[in-house]
Amino acid sequence: SYGVCKGGAGENLFVDAATLQEQIDELSAYSDTPAPTVTRILYTPNDVAARRFVKKLMSEAGLSVREDAIGNIFGRWEGTDPTLPAVGSGSHTDAIPYAGKYDGVLGVLGAIHAVQALQRVKFQPKRSIDVIMFTSEEPTRFGFGCLGSRAMAKSGKIFDILREAKDSNNVTFADAAKEAGYTDVEEKLKSSGLEKGAYSAFVELHIEQGPMLEKEGIPIGVVTAIAAPASLKVGFKGDGGHAGALLMRYRNDAGLAGAELALAVEEHVLASGSVDTVGTTGVLEIHPGAVNSVPREARLEIDIRDIDEARRDKVVEGIRASAEAIAKKRNVILTNFDIVNQDPPALSGGQIVEAAEQAADSLGLEYKLMISRAYHDSLFMARISPMGMIFIPCYKGYSHRPDEFSSVEDMAKGVQVLALTLLQLSST
Ligand code: HGY
Ligand code: MN
Ligand code: MN
Ligand code: MN
């Protein structure tokens, strides 16, 4: 049955993509916002319902399910040599507000289907295979992304950060986790950390979240690197005042300072000299937000990424300099310039890239080597094991929006390539 990959064309590897689509649709209903949007925020009731659904699917696939202290969920297919480090594959099911239903979900449910496809051809892995659902990948609730995989990778000061973290309603991470059924988080937090080498390989299947594969008509992307993400929180404070009575020359308008900094972000990014540098002022709030009141506060959240870390950091420092200059020029106070995260890029493991290339070849599928401009849990799994990602096209590259879409055919191909990649990585 190994013919399915070694020399075989993999044609007898059946992926039940129709059921996968039904499960994606069922999971999308666990949402705080109406269809077709999906909003699923860490530890909320819909997130808990989604977890229950995923654990049910893992059990139905014969996987033994466990959860760590903060809700990273592992479904294990025991290998013939369970003492060897396992092969991991997975992604996330949380969704930013008003998002779509494929981001992350494909990598969790698709990994379960990849295991089921291998079980159907009577493959028996030597290394155990863990399907992983990371507890949260999106930054929505606590302001930074990948907190589950950061904890598993013991990245930086993640445990201190989680002890201090509070959401916009001032709910602590530990209390939010308790509401979702994860008690004693403070004591058990560090137990979610894994040693380097805990996995021999980690592979994530994901929609591209960009337009290239669809544009070029290529069904598979094999990721060679993940761009380096950074995010900033900046605040300006002025005196505000009456929109009618306060003459322009007496104003120190915090809203205009914020607007000017957002434009400075664009300027610094475009001046980096590379198309790989991207910058977004995703949050720009002014207070009190009344039409006849001069803004006295501005709050910005800024996202800067680049495949080249030094080039990204130069842009971050340029933005800091602009924030200070704008505060001076406009006579407002720069209340805070916080770097929330400033992570290095990650390179994919050579043997995983090769395994994915061989898998695509044995299925007769064209593939494209490419970088991931979106970050993923793989960015942090790369710190404890060789990492790789497999992309499939998505409609016009749309993602983080309700019209995010990938076809059943493209999902089937992605799951097949994942299955054959896992077959190779778990056989040696
Ligand atoms: O923002 C990202 O890159 C990821 O989709 N959370
Ligand atoms: Mn996302
Ligand atoms: Mn994602
Ligand atoms: Mn992501």
Side-chain angles (χ1 to χ4, degrees), residues 341-367:
N341 68 287
Q342 193 168 10
D343 302 297
L347 294 177
S348 300
Q351 84 274 30
I352 302 180
V353 170
E354 257 162 60
E357 288 181 291
Q358 277 173 19
D361 280 343
S362 70
L363 290 161
L365 294 174
E366 193 188 353
Y367 64 85

PDB file of all heavy atoms in Angstrom, residues 341-367:
ATOM      1  N   ASN A 341       4.744  42.639  19.199  1.00  0.00           N
ATOM      2  CA  ASN A 341       5.580  41.487  18.808  1.00  0.00           C
ATOM      3  C   ASN A 341       6.472  41.891  17.643  1.00  0.00           C
ATOM      4  O   ASN A 341       6.111  42.734  16.840  1.00  0.00           O
ATOM      5  CB  ASN A 341       4.731  40.260  18.446  1.00  0.00           C
ATOM      6  CG  ASN A 341       3.931  40.466  17.167  1.00  0.00           C
ATOM      7  OD1 ASN A 341       2.956  41.212  17.181  1.00  0.00           O
ATOM      8  ND2 ASN A 341       4.373  39.877  16.056  1.00  0.00           N
ATOM      9  N   GLN A 342       7.649  41.289  17.624  1.00  0.00           N
ATOM     10  CA  GLN A 342       8.620  41.604  16.552  1.00  0.00           C
ATOM     11  C   GLN A 342       9.381  40.304  16.303  1.00  0.00           C
ATOM     12  O   GLN A 342      10.409  40.059  16.897  1.00  0.00           O
ATOM     13  CB  GLN A 342       9.559  42.714  17.041  1.00  0.00           C
ATOM     14  CG  GLN A 342      10.391  43.344  15.955  1.00  0.00           C
ATOM     15  CD  GLN A 342      11.077  44.635  16.444  1.00  0.00           C
ATOM     16  OE1 GLN A 342      11.066  44.951  17.617  1.00  0.00           O
ATOM     17  NE2 GLN A 342      11.666  45.376  15.546  1.00  0.00           N
ATOM     18  N   ASP A 343       8.746  39.427  15.481  1.00  0.00           N
ATOM     19  CA  ASP A 343       9.241  38.052  15.361  1.00  0.00           C
ATOM     20  C   ASP A 343      10.127  37.859  14.127  1.00  0.00           C
ATOM     21  O   ASP A 343       9.897  38.501  13.094  1.00  0.00           O
ATOM     22  CB  ASP A 343       8.047  37.087  15.269  1.00  0.00           C
ATOM     23  CG  ASP A 343       7.152  37.231  16.488  1.00  0.00           C
ATOM     24  OD1 ASP A 343       7.624  36.954  17.601  1.00  0.00           O
ATOM     25  OD2 ASP A 343       6.007  37.706  16.320  1.00  0.00           O
ATOM     26  N   PRO A 344      11.097  36.948  14.216  1.00  0.00           N
ATOM     27  CA  PRO A 344      11.922  36.651  13.043  1.00  0.00           C
ATOM     28  C   PRO A 344      11.117  35.855  12.017  1.00  0.00           C
ATOM     29  O   PRO A 344      10.086  35.253  12.356  1.00  0.00           O
ATOM     30  CB  PRO A 344      13.065  35.803  13.607  1.00  0.00           C
ATOM     31  CG  PRO A 344      12.549  35.233  14.874  1.00  0.00           C
ATOM     32  CD  PRO A 344      11.514  36.184  15.394  1.00  0.00           C
ATOM     33  N   PRO A 345      11.585  35.824  10.763  1.00  0.00           N
ATOM     34  CA  PRO A 345      10.933  34.959   9.759  1.00  0.00           C
ATOM     35  C   PRO A 345      11.299  33.511  10.067  1.00  0.00           C
ATOM     36  O   PRO A 345      12.076  33.234  10.985  1.00  0.00           O
ATOM     37  CB  PRO A 345      11.578  35.432   8.441  1.00  0.00           C
ATOM     38  CG  PRO A 345      12.914  35.977   8.837  1.00  0.00           C
ATOM     39  CD  PRO A 345      12.743  36.539  10.217  1.00  0.00           C
ATOM     40  N   ALA A 346      10.669  32.581   9.345  1.00  0.00           N
ATOM     41  CA  ALA A 346      11.035  31.165   9.546  1.00  0.00           C
ATOM     42  C   ALA A 346      11.255  30.527   8.177  1.00  0.00           C
ATOM     43  O   ALA A 346      10.520  30.815   7.227  1.00  0.00           O
ATOM     44  CB  ALA A 346       9.922  30.431  10.284  1.00  0.00           C
ATOM     45  N   LEU A 347      12.287  29.697   8.093  1.00  0.00           N
ATOM     46  CA  LEU A 347      12.545  28.967   6.840  1.00  0.00           C
ATOM     47  C   LEU A 347      11.962  27.571   6.984  1.00  0.00           C
ATOM     48  O   LEU A 347      12.022  26.962   8.071  1.00  0.00           O
ATOM     49  CB  LEU A 347      14.052  28.882   6.586  1.00  0.00           C
ATOM     50  CG  LEU A 347      14.754  30.236   6.309  1.00  0.00           C
ATOM     51  CD1 LEU A 347      16.261  30.022   6.149  1.00  0.00           C
ATOM     52  CD2 LEU A 347      14.162  30.916   5.091  1.00  0.00           C
ATOM     53  N   SER A 348      11.398  27.041   5.908  1.00  0.00           N
ATOM     54  CA  SER A 348      10.848  25.682   5.954  1.00  0.00           C
ATOM     55  C   SER A 348      11.989  24.664   5.977  1.00  0.00           C
ATOM     56  O   SER A 348      13.063  24.907   5.424  1.00  0.00           O
ATOM     57  CB  SER A 348       9.978  25.429   4.716  1.00  0.00           C
ATOM     58  OG  SER A 348       8.916  26.355   4.693  1.00  0.00           O
ATOM     59  N   GLY A 349      11.721  23.516   6.608  1.00  0.00           N
ATOM     60  CA  GLY A 349      12.732  22.451   6.650  1.00  0.00           C
ATOM     61  C   GLY A 349      12.884  21.811   5.263  1.00  0.00           C
ATOM     62  O   GLY A 349      11.870  21.489   4.620  1.00  0.00           O
ATOM     63  N   GLY A 350      14.114  21.628   4.834  1.00  0.00           N
ATOM     64  CA  GLY A 350      14.371  21.095   3.489  1.00  0.00           C
ATOM     65  C   GLY A 350      13.670  19.767   3.249  1.00  0.00           C
ATOM     66  O   GLY A 350      13.039  19.562   2.207  1.00  0.00           O
ATOM     67  N   GLN A 351      13.714  18.879   4.229  1.00  0.00           N
ATOM     68  CA  GLN A 351      13.143  17.544   3.975  1.00  0.00           C
ATOM     69  C   GLN A 351      11.614  17.606   3.885  1.00  0.00           C
ATOM     70  O   GLN A 351      10.989  16.771   3.236  1.00  0.00           O
ATOM     71  CB  GLN A 351      13.615  16.533   5.026  1.00  0.00           C
ATOM     72  CG  GLN A 351      12.867  16.475   6.326  1.00  0.00           C
ATOM     73  CD  GLN A 351      13.351  17.481   7.352  1.00  0.00           C
ATOM     74  OE1 GLN A 351      13.824  18.562   6.977  1.00  0.00           O
ATOM     75  NE2 GLN A 351      13.185  17.152   8.613  1.00  0.00           N
ATOM     76  N   ILE A 352      11.030  18.639   4.479  1.00  0.00           N
ATOM     77  CA  ILE A 352       9.561  18.755   4.381  1.00  0.00           C
ATOM     78  C   ILE A 352       9.176  19.337   3.023  1.00  0.00           C
ATOM     79  O   ILE A 352       8.235  18.872   2.367  1.00  0.00           O
ATOM     80  CB  ILE A 352       9.016  19.616   5.534  1.00  0.00           C
ATOM     81  CG1 ILE A 352       9.416  18.980   6.867  1.00  0.00           C
ATOM     82  CG2 ILE A 352       7.497  19.734   5.442  1.00  0.00           C
ATOM     83  CD1 ILE A 352       8.964  19.715   8.078  1.00  0.00           C
ATOM     84  N   VAL A 353       9.977  20.317   2.577  1.00  0.00           N
ATOM     85  CA  VAL A 353       9.722  20.881   1.246  1.00  0.00           C
ATOM     86  C   VAL A 353       9.840  19.754   0.211  1.00  0.00           C
ATOM     87  O   VAL A 353       8.972  19.570  -0.645  1.00  0.00           O
ATOM     88  CB  VAL A 353      10.727  22.010   0.940  1.00  0.00           C
ATOM     89  CG1 VAL A 353      10.649  22.453  -0.515  1.00  0.00           C
ATOM     90  CG2 VAL A 353      10.470  23.198   1.875  1.00  0.00           C
ATOM     91  N   GLU A 354      10.886  18.950   0.360  1.00  0.00           N
ATOM     92  CA  GLU A 354      11.096  17.846  -0.603  1.00  0.00           C
ATOM     93  C   GLU A 354       9.944  16.842  -0.559  1.00  0.00           C
ATOM     94  O   GLU A 354       9.416  16.434  -1.603  1.00  0.00           O
ATOM     95  CB  GLU A 354      12.380  17.093  -0.244  1.00  0.00           C
ATOM     96  CG  GLU A 354      13.572  17.434  -1.149  1.00  0.00           C
ATOM     97  CD  GLU A 354      14.875  17.015  -0.481  1.00  0.00           C
ATOM     98  OE1 GLU A 354      15.009  15.791  -0.213  1.00  0.00           O
ATOM     99  OE2 GLU A 354      15.656  17.917  -0.175  1.00  0.00           O
ATOM    100  N   ALA A 355       9.514  16.512   0.648  1.00  0.00           N
ATOM    101  CA  ALA A 355       8.424  15.523   0.777  1.00  0.00           C
ATOM    102  C   ALA A 355       7.154  16.051   0.113  1.00  0.00           C
ATOM    103  O   ALA A 355       6.454  15.333  -0.602  1.00  0.00           O
ATOM    104  CB  ALA A 355       8.177  15.225   2.255  1.00  0.00           C
ATOM    105  N   ALA A 356       6.897  17.352   0.288  1.00  0.00           N
ATOM    106  CA  ALA A 356       5.689  17.935  -0.310  1.00  0.00           C
ATOM    107  C   ALA A 356       5.828  17.985  -1.834  1.00  0.00           C
ATOM    108  O   ALA A 356       4.882  17.694  -2.582  1.00  0.00           O
ATOM    109  CB  ALA A 356       5.455  19.327   0.255  1.00  0.00           C
ATOM    110  N   GLU A 357       7.053  18.294  -2.305  1.00  0.00           N
ATOM    111  CA  GLU A 357       7.276  18.319  -3.767  1.00  0.00           C
ATOM    112  C   GLU A 357       7.069  16.922  -4.356  1.00  0.00           C
ATOM    113  O   GLU A 357       6.396  16.747  -5.363  1.00  0.00           O
ATOM    114  CB  GLU A 357       8.707  18.803  -4.047  1.00  0.00           C
ATOM    115  CG  GLU A 357       8.944  20.294  -3.798  1.00  0.00           C
ATOM    116  CD  GLU A 357      10.383  20.694  -4.131  1.00  0.00           C
ATOM    117  OE1 GLU A 357      11.297  20.278  -3.391  1.00  0.00           O
ATOM    118  OE2 GLU A 357      10.562  21.409  -5.123  1.00  0.00           O
ATOM    119  N   GLN A 358       7.621  15.909  -3.673  1.00  0.00           N
ATOM    120  CA  GLN A 358       7.469  14.529  -4.167  1.00  0.00           C
ATOM    121  C   GLN A 358       6.001  14.115  -4.149  1.00  0.00           C
ATOM    122  O   GLN A 358       5.507  13.470  -5.072  1.00  0.00           O
ATOM    123  CB  GLN A 358       8.273  13.550  -3.296  1.00  0.00           C
ATOM    124  CG  GLN A 358       9.740  13.458  -3.683  1.00  0.00           C
ATOM    125  CD  GLN A 358      10.517  12.606  -2.668  1.00  0.00           C
ATOM    126  OE1 GLN A 358       9.922  11.828  -1.908  1.00  0.00           O
ATOM    127  NE2 GLN A 358      11.818  12.764  -2.664  1.00  0.00           N
ATOM    128  N   ALA A 359       5.305  14.543  -3.101  1.00  0.00           N
ATOM    129  CA  ALA A 359       3.877  14.190  -2.997  1.00  0.00           C
ATOM    130  C   ALA A 359       3.106  14.788  -4.166  1.00  0.00           C
ATOM    131  O   ALA A 359       2.345  14.093  -4.845  1.00  0.00           O
ATOM    132  CB  ALA A 359       3.331  14.698  -1.675  1.00  0.00           C
ATOM    133  N   ALA A 360       3.367  16.066  -4.438  1.00  0.00           N
ATOM    134  CA  ALA A 360       2.665  16.717  -5.555  1.00  0.00           C
ATOM    135  C   ALA A 360       3.026  16.028  -6.869  1.00  0.00           C
ATOM    136  O   ALA A 360       2.150  15.698  -7.685  1.00  0.00           O
ATOM    137  CB  ALA A 360       3.027  18.199  -5.602  1.00  0.00           C
ATOM    138  N   ASP A 361       4.324  15.746  -7.054  1.00  0.00           N
ATOM    139  CA  ASP A 361       4.755  15.064  -8.287  1.00  0.00           C
ATOM    140  C   ASP A 361       4.052  13.714  -8.429  1.00  0.00           C
ATOM    141  O   ASP A 361       3.510  13.377  -9.485  1.00  0.00           O
ATOM    142  CB  ASP A 361       6.277  14.821  -8.255  1.00  0.00           C
ATOM    143  CG  ASP A 361       7.058  16.081  -8.622  1.00  0.00           C
ATOM    144  OD1 ASP A 361       6.434  16.995  -9.203  1.00  0.00           O
ATOM    145  OD2 ASP A 361       8.262  16.153  -8.303  1.00  0.00           O
ATOM    146  N   SER A 362       3.997  12.945  -7.337  1.00  0.00           N
ATOM    147  CA  SER A 362       3.420  11.587  -7.464  1.00  0.00           C
ATOM    148  C   SER A 362       1.919  11.654  -7.736  1.00  0.00           C
ATOM    149  O   SER A 362       1.315  10.709  -8.216  1.00  0.00           O
ATOM    150  CB  SER A 362       3.682  10.769  -6.207  1.00  0.00           C
ATOM    151  OG  SER A 362       2.918  11.282  -5.168  1.00  0.00           O
ATOM    152  N   LEU A 363       1.337  12.817  -7.463  1.00  0.00           N
ATOM    153  CA  LEU A 363      -0.097  12.993  -7.769  1.00  0.00           C
ATOM    154  C   LEU A 363      -0.283  13.692  -9.104  1.00  0.00           C
ATOM    155  O   LEU A 363      -1.396  14.006  -9.516  1.00  0.00           O
ATOM    156  CB  LEU A 363      -0.758  13.827  -6.647  1.00  0.00           C
ATOM    157  CG  LEU A 363      -0.888  13.105  -5.300  1.00  0.00           C
ATOM    158  CD1 LEU A 363      -1.090  14.099  -4.166  1.00  0.00           C
ATOM    159  CD2 LEU A 363      -2.037  12.096  -5.348  1.00  0.00           C
ATOM    160  N   GLY A 364       0.855  14.007  -9.752  1.00  0.00           N
ATOM    161  CA  GLY A 364       0.762  14.702 -11.038  1.00  0.00           C
ATOM    162  C   GLY A 364       0.209  16.101 -10.897  1.00  0.00           C
ATOM    163  O   GLY A 364      -0.440  16.633 -11.796  1.00  0.00           O
ATOM    164  N   LEU A 365       0.476  16.716  -9.749  1.00  0.00           N
ATOM    165  CA  LEU A 365      -0.029  18.080  -9.514  1.00  0.00           C
ATOM    166  C   LEU A 365       1.111  19.088  -9.657  1.00  0.00           C
ATOM    167  O   LEU A 365       2.170  18.931  -9.038  1.00  0.00           O
ATOM    168  CB  LEU A 365      -0.631  18.188  -8.098  1.00  0.00           C
ATOM    169  CG  LEU A 365      -1.904  17.350  -7.855  1.00  0.00           C
ATOM    170  CD1 LEU A 365      -2.313  17.435  -6.379  1.00  0.00           C
ATOM    171  CD2 LEU A 365      -3.045  17.815  -8.757  1.00  0.00           C
ATOM    172  N   GLU A 366       0.855  20.149 -10.431  1.00  0.00           N
ATOM    173  CA  GLU A 366       1.845  21.218 -10.541  1.00  0.00           C
ATOM    174  C   GLU A 366       1.907  21.972  -9.207  1.00  0.00           C
ATOM    175  O   GLU A 366       0.882  22.113  -8.533  1.00  0.00           O
ATOM    176  CB  GLU A 366       1.434  22.170 -11.675  1.00  0.00           C
ATOM    177  CG  GLU A 366       2.553  23.137 -12.084  1.00  0.00           C
ATOM    178  CD  GLU A 366       2.059  24.207 -13.069  1.00  0.00           C
ATOM    179  OE1 GLU A 366       0.890  24.113 -13.529  1.00  0.00           O
ATOM    180  OE2 GLU A 366       2.842  25.130 -13.346  1.00  0.00           O
ATOM    181  N   TYR A 367       3.092  22.421  -8.816  1.00  0.00           N
ATOM    182  CA  TYR A 367       3.183  23.178  -7.559  1.00  0.00           C
ATOM    183  C   TYR A 367       4.134  24.364  -7.748  1.00  0.00           C
ATOM    184  O   TYR A 367       4.924  24.411  -8.693  1.00  0.00           O
ATOM    185  CB  TYR A 367       3.667  22.281  -6.418  1.00  0.00           C
ATOM    186  CG  TYR A 367       5.076  21.755  -6.601  1.00  0.00           C
ATOM    187  CD1 TYR A 367       6.180  22.501  -6.211  1.00  0.00           C
ATOM    188  CD2 TYR A 367       5.295  20.525  -7.213  1.00  0.00           C
ATOM    189  CE1 TYR A 367       7.469  22.038  -6.403  1.00  0.00           C
ATOM    190  CE2 TYR A 367       6.588  20.046  -7.419  1.00  0.00           C
ATOM    191  CZ  TYR A 367       7.667  20.811  -7.020  1.00  0.00           C
ATOM    192  OH  TYR A 367       8.945  20.342  -7.232  1.00  0.00           O
TER     193      TYR A 367
END
